Amino acid sequence: MSKQKLTIAISGLNNVDSPGPGIPVIRGIRESVDIDPRIIGLAYENLEPGPYMREFVDKTYKVPYPSEGVDPLIERIRYIHEREQIDVLIPNFDSEIFVFIKLADKLGEMGIHTFLPTLSQFEERHKSNLPQYGEKHDITVPDSRPVTSFEDIEDLVRKGTFSWPLLVKGKFYDAYMARSADQARIYFNTVSAKWGLPVIVQEFIKGTEVNVVALGDGSGRTVGAVPMRKQYITDKGKAWGGITLDDPSMLDFTHHVMAATRWRGGMELELIRTPQNELYLIEINPRLPAWVYLAVAAGQNLPEALIKLAMGQKVPAWTRYDVGKIFIRYSFDMICDLDAFRKLSTTGEL
Amino acid sequence: MKIKKSLAISETGFVFDPSTGDSYTLNPIGLEIIQLLREGKSREDITKAMTRTFDVDSLTFERYYFDFLGMLKQMQLVESDE
């Protein structure tokens, strides 16, 4: 049977020390047995490695940051679509998911398929809403509060709502453990300067961080899920090595989240396993994570399944994966011609 | 004491716990003890086997044996009802 030719636009090409999921997602799609993809990279910066990785990305277009507004972004997508006839678009940054959910209908009218969570699914799982989310869906979560000033953190500690240590988190990325008011002030300023307000204060749960990459079809069904433990963590808290786990309780947890929320699209669950073997949900990232290729290697090509779901095709649910599969990330110096950099910088295309 | 059924133990003494992702390396004596535990041997049987193979008296062996079991328990490598 011949492969289905699809043009797929993908962002998150910053394959750096805190990598976006773009390249790993592309890697999965390129290994599809059913899809013959043409990959269109959507880049925000001239030095994102993805555009220069020609074995993964066929053509790259620079796009405006979502923070510049919806109109410039959709106009740019329209321009790209006229040239490339995009079939599916997969945004891979937390910070752009909201905008693409808003644009999903417009993209659909243009013939560009997406497979994203609904706006309410996306909004309710925000870190600042975690306690309400846990209560609504019967999920164990640590106490979290949105704050808009350092004084709010002091108040929460004074009232006994939180005690040291606690976590200071950005609304999209970054988390710091503050052991004192002095540290909390520094982290509040760091996080708010980078990601804006509110900043999230979260109860510190002692235990081991474990993660699940999963894909939901929007009906409550889990199409695939692979649990992993980070074995090597960078100073930015990113996994630089990890291993797939045989942990039925993590899969049960994931199936429950999927069924309760009817999640549509890729997700990463960040969990803490306490010494008493309880699982706490600390975060849901509304997209496939940068370590998704581990799931592909373990037998679940979730990026391929995501494309098929976006195209309205039926995808059977996986029931197994290889346990003890390890990923080890590495850095590599690509050598590029100045001409490629010039082209992307001046024309916005490569 | 029952060793977790899910543990993968290689002939070279590499132990992998698939539920936590942790791995350990055993020396040949540790490996032999774990294998005997896995076979369901009692403390008496294990002590007999080890004192027969190695130049050690049963009292000295059992002191190290209980230390070793404590370590396995702490590392959660035994069945949780133990």
Side-chain angles (χ1 to χ4, degrees):
Chain A
M1 206 175 78
S2 64
K3 289 184 173 185
Q4 184 182 18
K5 282 188 183 295
L6 290 176
T7 301
I8 302 165
I10 291 183
S11 69
L13 306 179
N14 58 331
N15 208 39
V16 295
D17 61 340
S18 179
I23 294 297
V25 166
I26 294 169
R27 205 173 162 197
I29 296 168
R30 288 234 178 260
E31 288 184 15
S32 167
V33 289
D34 300 321
I35 298 167
D36 176 14
R38 173 169 164 76
I39 301 292
I40 305 302
L42 305 176
Y44 291 102
E45 297 287 341
N46 297 326
L47 278 176
E48 287 180 27
Y52 305 94
M53 301 171 80
R54 305 315 295 260
E55 69 275 34
F56 291 109
V57 182
D58 295 302
K59 168 102 188 187
T60 298
Y61 292 86
K62 279 184 73 183
V63 288
Y65 276 105
S67 55
E68 288 172 30
V70 169
D71 292 341
L73 183 62
I74 192 74
E75 278 321 303
R76 184 63 174 159
I77 301 283
R78 202 184 298 278
Y79 168 89
I80 299 166
H81 186 50
E82 279 167 12
R83 279 149 191 81
E84 303 290 349
Q85 287 81 53
I86 300 167
D87 295 302
V88 183
L89 189 151
I90 307 178
N92 282 303
F93 285 124
D94 293 11
S95 50
E96 62 185 9
I97 301 283
F98 173 80
V99 176
F100 279 104
I101 291 172
K102 287 274 198 191
L103 289 175
D105 287 344
K106 265 190 189 166
L107 293 170
E109 285 163 18
M110 289 159 62
I112 301 175
H113 302 83
T114 54
F115 199 73
L116 296 165
T118 64
L119 191 57
S120 67
Q121 286 171 345
F122 177 81
E123 289 292 335
E124 70 172 0
R125 54 90 249 170
H126 273 304
K127 289 177 217 178
S128 50
N129 301 335
L130 210 53
Q132 297 87 326
Y133 193 74
E135 200 175 327
K136 181 178 171 191
H137 298 299
D138 192 24
I139 298 166
T140 314
V141 298
D143 196 0
S144 307
R145 307 287 169 106
V147 297
T148 52
S149 71
F150 167 69
E151 286 69 31
D152 289 348
I153 302 179
E154 281 190 312
D155 276 351
L156 288 168
V157 173
R158 202 175 302 121
K159 285 178 194 158
T161 312
F162 288 100
S163 57
W164 308 109
L166 50 77
L167 293 166
V168 180
K169 294 183 148 192
K171 61 180 168 180
F172 293 122
Y173 297 103
D174 284 346
Y176 298 94
M177 193 205 297
R179 296 176 187 279
S180 65
D182 287 343
Q183 284 186 345
R185 182 191 292 276
I186 293 167
Y187 296 144
F188 176 86
N189 290 336
T190 307
V191 166
S192 60
K194 195 164 177 190
W195 300 112
L197 294 173
V199 165
I200 316 303
V201 178
Q202 193 174 81
E203 176 191 4
F204 173 68
I205 305 289
K206 197 173 172 222
T208 308
E209 186 185 333
V210 283
N211 305 69
V212 183
V213 55
L215 178 64
D217 70 358
S219 73
R221 186 176 69 126
T222 306
V223 173
V226 177
M228 179 275 284
R229 201 196 85 196
K230 296 176 185 179
Q231 289 185 300
Y232 191 110
I233 300 173
T234 67
D235 55 1
K236 288 186 178 169
K238 302 294 163 187
W240 205 255
I243 187 163
T244 56
L245 302 177
D246 177 17
D247 190 327
S249 65
M250 285 172 73
L251 291 178
D252 289 347
F253 196 102
T254 306
H255 292 151
H256 172 70
V257 172
M258 286 291 186
T261 63
R262 294 174 170 268
W263 186 263
R264 190 171 183 272
M267 69 149 64
E268 180 191 24
L269 295 174
E270 294 187 7
L271 308 168
I272 297 286
R273 176 180 291 292
T274 67
Q276 293 74 38
N277 265 333
E278 298 157 316
L279 287 170
Y280 279 81
L281 173 70
I282 53 170
E283 208 166 312
I284 293 181
N285 291 316
R287 36 95 194 142
L288 295 172
W291 58 272
V292 66
Y293 188 75
L294 179 66
V296 179
Q300 296 193 6
N301 194 335
L302 300 178
E304 178 196 30
L306 178 66
I307 298 291
K308 288 181 177 174
L309 288 169
M311 292 302 293
Q313 297 165 9
K314 285 207 162 55
V315 177
W318 276 283
T319 52
R320 66 163 308 281
Y321 56 89
D322 294 339
V323 173
K325 215 42 128 181
I326 295 177
F327 80 90
I328 303 167
R329 208 165 265 167
Y330 66 102
S331 60
F332 184 87
D333 297 342
M334 254 191 309
I335 304 301
C336 306
D337 288 330
L338 179 64
D339 194 47
F341 178 71
R342 177 197 60 77
K343 244 175 143 176
L344 187 61
S345 320
T346 55
T347 67
E349 296 181 23
L350 182 63
Chain B
M1 181 177 279
K2 279 187 192 141
I3 297 294
K4 256 191 194 172
K5 277 199 196 87
S6 57
L7 285 190
I9 304 168
S10 81
E11 287 170 2
T12 55
F14 182 79
V15 178
F16 171 61
D17 182 349
S19 62
T20 62
D22 287 326
S23 55
Y24 310 88
T25 310
L26 289 167
N27 65 17
I29 299 170
L31 176 60
E32 205 167 325
I33 295 172
I34 278 222
Q35 279 164 342
L36 290 168
L37 283 167
R38 239 193 177 175
E39 288 165 21
K41 298 277 194 254
S42 67
R43 173 173 58 87
E44 291 80 9
D45 291 342
I46 294 173
T47 305
K48 248 186 232 167
M50 297 304 282
T51 50
R52 210 167 32 227
T53 315
F54 299 99
D55 182 18
V56 62
D57 63 79
S58 57
L59 205 66
T60 310
F61 170 73
E62 286 193 354
R63 201 166 40 138
Y64 289 111
Y65 175 72
F66 285 117
D67 263 5
F68 183 61
L69 293 191
M71 199 188 291
L72 294 180
K73 215 168 184 178
Q74 193 193 350
M75 290 170 170
Q76 301 185 329
L77 299 177
V78 294
E79 292 294 354
S80 50
D81 54 342
E82 290 287 322

